Amino acid sequence: MLNVKGIKRIVGQEQQASMKEKRVLEDWEMHLARRETEALFQEQPETGNQYLEDTLLRSYLKTHLPPKVLEEVHRDLERFGNRLVTKIQPLSWECELNPPVFRQYDAWGQRVDDIHTCTAWRRMKEISAEEGLIAEAYEKRYSNWSRLYQAVKLYLFSSSSGGFSCPLAMTDGAAKVIESLGIPGSLKNAFDRLTSRDPKKFWTSGQWMTERRGGSDVANGTETMARKQPDGTYRLYGFKWFTSAADSDMALTLARIADAEGQCTQGSRGLSLFFLRVRDEEGKLNSIQVQRLKDKLGTRQMATAELWLQGARAELISAEGRGVAAISNMLNITRIHNVIGAVASMRRMISLSRDYARKRVAFGKLLKDHPLHMQTIARMEVQVRGAFLLLMEIVRLLGLAETNLASQQEQLLLRLLIPVAKLYTGKQASAVAVEAMESFGGQGYMEDTGLPVILRDTLVLSIWEGTTNILSLDVLRSLAKSQGQVMAVFLSTVQKKLELASGTEELSAAVQRTREAIGNLQQFMAAVGSEQALTMEMAARDFSYSLARIYTGRQRQESQNHGWAGWEGTLNPTQCHPCHGRDTSHCPRLLQAPVSNLALGTARDPGTATAALGTLCQALPTLPGNNSCPISHPALPSGTGSHSLCPVPPALVPSPSPALLEPL
Ligand code: UCC
């Protein structure tokens, strides 16, 4: 029997033991909890100075710009790159978190139609002026290189702009239209403001083209009427269904001039181009009512509105009935901006993906040490490189055209490449954004990482400024209008470049594939002839994709041949023969280092681009070649037939063309 003391001792010992056990358990739980938190914690992907980190951009500038221009531009871009990462990027996120708010009535029932934008958005406008994001192209202080320089700044700005790239695109387009009209006296003030570096003076412009009946078929969809006033100005009456950046200072828009009986000419020939101010000096709307703001999937930072024009005062700025031709100058500029946006969003996603690959550990090692992960990023990198080089080519040609230095051939090539690049890169951008999102795992799907914003904003790139099909038809328009000359120039340009590249033995497989693709294209065109409009229309998208792939393939070969960054030493003498000319990026014999270097943007060593070259070969063109269509193809020669080119109603075509998925 235990004495009281003994009992006490035992009880005390039990208490001590259970307290100890509890402490151990608590420690253990704490430890588990901490470990769990630690395991879930991931380092945020970041980017540094996007100019300094973009080796392809820098080496492109180094190769093309005259030394004096390069020196000045380099200094400015380095500074701008720092400003973007430290000051502008945070504003961009603020724009996303504070979308515009529409207040239709004040507290006392007065109609005010106030579109309230956040401070960060307004700051973006000031920054755009300070940085000369529009001015640079019009001051032309570097002659033909000014346009390219401006495009590079916009490219760097785009993914940090919080959507402000959109009003800038239209502002640039409006300035271009006014310049092409010879800057008439009545538009001098507007032109000076659109191209000003003074934030207090700077204006942005809208481009009001879309009405209730739709935005593609402008010729039949535009109902807005213009009534001439005794003073020579006009009053516009109509309903604009999508007006992007409705907080802009001015707009260019289309309307039909009514005669004395109130009758208008229908179709494209009835459309004229007008300039109008959105508000007067006191901030009062110009006989415009805002119906509501659009509820969009993306680009939410920017106010897109439905507007009633109820006698808005406007100035006719084109010849009567030449509205579409006059606004096409604006369309071509905004389409180039679209390409800038597409390349920029791809570049941003890949940069973040790269950084994450250097930080994130899975399966016991960093993502960058997983070959399959690196191969996926390398393939995206090949896409963005092609798109970037195509963009640079377009703005190089535009710069020549704007300083009267472009040959007739260069002008034709520019006309063709704008729709080709817009339609192709718009699709590429969303495909790359989706692929890159996956490289962050579930984090890529989380709103507060900011990654879904990039994806949402990218999805509009194939829709606004002309959908993929509308742009494909514009490619045909450029062919018809030039009576085929644009194609002749395209082919001779590519062939000339191929001859240069064919001197490099290691490029021969890629050159050969491009030649075959050109052969297919020529064969197809010869077979279709000019009479087969339906066949051409059915083929327009695939045809345009083929042009894009041929041209970007050629650009990549040129860049490789010249040893622009990342492609140097492309051609590894120990090249894998079984893979030769095919996708070598999955070949274990070609080492994973080159693929990783390409993916991480650190490619310097020989062999790097061998892998990329393989991917390039895969990405190279041809018209889709499915010869097993059970339906006869009367218009097509044997060997070129495919379902998607088949001139029969789409319902009879068994499956859509795989070409859509091919950009990746
Ligand atoms: O406004 C919008 C949103 C704004 C936001 C923008 C921000 C972008 C920023 C990106 C940054 C990230 S969206 C609205 C978009 N709407 C469009 O893009 C219109 C799409 N539809 C078309 O493009 C159609 O194909 C039309 C409107 C051009 C078709 O009109 P027509 O009148 O039926 O076409 P025609 O008769 O073929 O062309 C009339 C004239 C011809 O000249 P002429 O009479 O001399 O033979 C054509 O050659 O216009 C000429 N033309 C062109 N010229 C037509 N298109 C072009 C062109 N692209 N380049 C040169």
Side-chain angles (χ1 to χ4, degrees):
M1 199 173 156
L2 293 166
N3 61 20
V4 177
K5 215 173 161 189
I7 291 171
K8 273 192 181 158
R9 206 175 58 235
I10 289 169
V11 171
Q13 277 169 350
E14 272 177 359
Q15 273 175 346
Q16 263 182 5
S18 85
M19 273 170 65
K20 200 172 158 195
E21 220 168 73
K22 203 171 154 215
R23 260 203 314 273
V24 167
L25 207 65
E26 273 173 7
D27 278 358
W28 192 52
E29 277 172 1
M30 280 292 289
H31 186 58
L32 264 185
R34 249 200 322 268
R35 272 197 29 207
E36 208 173 337
T37 316
E38 276 164 11
L40 276 178
F41 183 76
Q42 294 173 22
E43 240 186 292
Q44 182 180 346
E46 285 161 340
T47 55
N49 182 322
Q50 284 298 279
Y51 167 64
L52 294 180
E53 288 181 7
D54 195 330
T55 47
L56 183 62
L57 164 63
R58 288 181 61 196
S59 64
Y60 181 93
L61 296 179
K62 203 168 154 198
T63 316
H64 288 81
L65 296 186
K68 181 88 181 61
V69 178
L70 178 67
E71 197 187 312
E72 289 184 26
V73 161
H74 168 75
R75 222 177 303 124
D76 182 53
L77 292 177
E78 183 173 356
R79 176 203 56 77
F80 186 48
N82 284 333
R83 188 178 188 193
L84 280 167
V85 78
T86 55
K87 300 280 187 317
I88 302 178
Q89 186 64 46
L91 293 176
S92 171
W93 190 235
E94 260 185 67
C95 290
E96 179 62 26
L97 296 178
N98 302 288
V101 177
F102 176 49
R103 195 171 58 114
Q104 204 158 24
Y105 295 93
D106 72 9
W108 305 100
Q110 294 291 329
R111 182 124 190 190
V112 285
D113 286 5
D114 178 39
I115 298 174
H116 179 77
T117 54
C118 69
T119 324
W121 176 263
R122 283 175 271 133
R123 183 74 191 110
M124 288 295 189
K125 184 177 179 185
E126 292 169 356
I127 290 169
S128 302
E130 287 160 12
E131 293 289 344
L133 293 181
I134 303 301
E136 201 60 66
Y138 295 87
E139 291 165 352
K140 298 189 175 71
R141 57 189 171 132
Y142 301 121
S143 180
N144 55 307
W145 296 111
S146 290
R147 186 52 96 166
L148 190 137
Y149 173 34
Q150 178 221 22
V152 167
K153 281 192 93 163
L154 287 165
Y155 160 67
L156 293 170
F157 181 62
S158 182
S159 46
S160 302
S161 74
F164 208 80
S165 293
C166 172
L168 288 183
M170 298 186 288
T171 302
D172 200 353
K176 178 75 179 174
V177 169
I178 298 175
E179 189 187 53
S180 67
L181 296 171
I183 318 180
S186 60
L187 296 177
K188 171 96 174 56
N189 179 42
F191 182 77
D192 288 347
R193 287 176 176 275
L194 296 171
T195 59
S196 175
R197 285 178 184 265
D198 179 352
K200 290 199 181 69
K201 272 183 73 183
F202 183 55
W203 275 2
T204 54
S205 176
Q207 168 189 311
W208 300 350
M209 288 186 71
T210 302
E211 302 199 5
R212 273 178 302 193
R213 290 201 205 158
S216 297
D217 184 5
V218 174
N220 295 304
T222 307
E223 297 170 314
T224 299
M225 277 172 53
R227 284 188 187 280
K228 194 163 187 181
Q229 304 300 300
D231 65 357
T233 62
Y234 287 77
R235 290 219 176 245
L236 305 186
Y237 299 86
F239 187 47
K240 298 287 174 181
W241 177 245
F242 284 100
T243 59
S244 294
D247 58 321
S248 292
D249 303 277
M250 57 161 274
L252 298 189
T253 193
L254 295 170
R256 299 183 191 281
I257 297 176
D259 63 19
E261 281 77 47
Q263 300 300 309
C264 300
T265 307
Q266 294 308 307
S268 188
R269 285 188 307 114
L271 291 173
S272 304
L273 185 61
F274 292 85
F275 156 84
L276 74 156
R277 292 284 313 275
V278 178
R279 292 173 186 272
D280 64 17
E281 299 306 329
E282 282 78 51
K284 203 164 151 281
L285 281 163
N286 174 10
S287 303
I288 296 170
Q289 278 197 344
V290 183
Q291 168 131 316
R292 59 174 168 157
L293 294 189
K294 294 294 203 184
D295 187 7
K296 296 170 289 175
L297 172 68
T299 64
R300 291 190 198 156
Q301 318 87 344
M302 181 245 301
T304 302
E306 292 171 12
L307 300 180
W308 282 105
L309 308 187
Q310 298 176 322
R313 195 174 283 281
E315 181 183 337
L316 174 68
I317 63 170
S318 72
E320 281 189 34
R322 297 293 295 159
V324 173
I327 207 167
S328 66
N329 270 322
M330 186 172 202
L331 290 180
N332 286 333
I333 292 292
T334 50
R335 286 169 185 172
I336 294 174
H337 278 252
N338 209 85
V339 181
I340 295 174
V343 184
S345 57
M346 287 190 268
R347 171 52 68 217
R348 177 145 190 88
M349 284 301 265
I350 294 172
S351 300
L352 290 168
S353 195
R354 273 175 180 167
D355 191 57
Y356 197 57
R358 291 194 186 96
K359 293 172 170 168
R360 166 83 170 134
V361 174
F363 301 103
K365 55 187 179 184
L366 288 166
L367 292 185
K368 79 173 183 55
D369 297 323
H370 289 277
L372 183 56
H373 193 77
M374 288 296 94
Q375 182 207 51
T376 308
I377 299 182
R379 286 180 174 175
M380 290 192 281
E381 178 64 21
V382 173
Q383 294 293 325
V384 71
R385 281 173 178 244
F388 171 82
L389 293 169
L390 185 57
L391 167 64
M392 287 296 105
E393 178 72 345
I394 287 175
V395 291
R396 184 186 71 80
L397 292 169
L398 180 63
L400 290 173
E402 291 180 331
T403 47
N404 299 321
L405 294 170
S407 64
Q408 177 70 12
Q409 278 83 354
E410 284 166 328
Q411 290 175 45
L412 288 166
L413 188 60
L414 177 62
R415 172 69 184 94
L416 176 66
L417 288 183
I418 292 174
V420 165
K422 194 286 182 184
L423 72 91
Y424 195 71
T425 61
K427 280 283 189 231
Q428 266 184 315
S430 45
V432 167
V434 170
E435 186 63 84
M437 194 178 221
E438 206 177 309
S439 71
F440 302 96
Q443 283 300 97
Y445 200 62
M446 295 299 114
E447 278 294 340
D448 54 0
T449 61
L451 296 163
V453 177
I454 304 177
L455 175 62
R456 276 201 300 271
D457 290 356
T458 299
L459 287 170
V460 79
L461 295 169
S462 61
I463 299 177
W464 68 9
E465 293 314 303
T467 60
T468 310
N469 283 354
I470 290 295
L471 269 293
S472 302
L473 296 178
D474 192 50
V475 168
L476 299 191
R477 180 188 283 107
S478 75
L479 249 79
K481 176 109 191 200
S482 70
Q483 294 170 333
Q485 282 187 71
V486 288
M487 265 318 284
V489 173
F490 177 90
L491 292 170
S492 71
T493 308
V494 174
Q495 267 151 353
K496 249 184 251 156
K497 299 282 180 185
L498 286 179
E499 269 157 39
L500 291 176
S502 62
T504 309
E505 198 204 323
E506 296 87 340
L507 281 174
S508 60
V511 169
Q512 182 52 30
R513 284 208 59 187
T514 313
R515 286 207 167 114
E516 282 166 21
I518 292 172
N520 284 348
L521 205 60
Q522 284 173 315
Q523 200 187 355
F524 170 73
M525 289 187 72
V528 171
S530 55
E531 301 308 311
Q532 302 289 336
L534 178 60
T535 308
M536 243 357 239
E537 188 174 325
M538 292 283 288
R541 185 191 273 240
D542 297 333
F543 180 74
S544 305
Y545 274 32
S546 295
L547 297 183
R549 290 190 183 125
I550 288 172
Y551 211 85
T552 51
R554 162 197 98 74
Q555 291 282 100
R556 280 185 288 219
Q557 285 158 28
E558 188 184 8
S559 74
Q560 238 167 318
N561 211 18
H562 289 286
W564 299 347
W567 302 111
E568 306 81 344
T570 8
L571 308 158
N572 190 339
T574 61
Q575 192 168 9
C576 176
H577 289 293
C579 296
H580 188 73
R582 288 185 287 115
D583 183 2
T584 51
S585 68
H586 54 243
C587 173
R589 287 181 60 192
L590 278 177
L591 315 172
Q592 71 195 64
V595 177
S596 293
N597 284 332
L598 185 67
L600 294 171
T602 51
R604 286 283 158 195
D605 57 328
T608 295
T610 307
L613 177 63
T615 314
L616 157 72
C617 291
Q618 187 197 39
L620 270 176
T622 58
L623 289 163
N626 181 352
N627 296 324
S628 60
C629 182
I631 303 158
S632 65
H633 293 138
L636 304 174
S638 66
T640 59
S642 87
H643 295 309
S644 63
L645 300 182
C646 177
V648 295
L652 296 178
V653 179
S655 62
S657 160
L660 183 77
L661 302 173
E662 280 178 20
L664 274 183

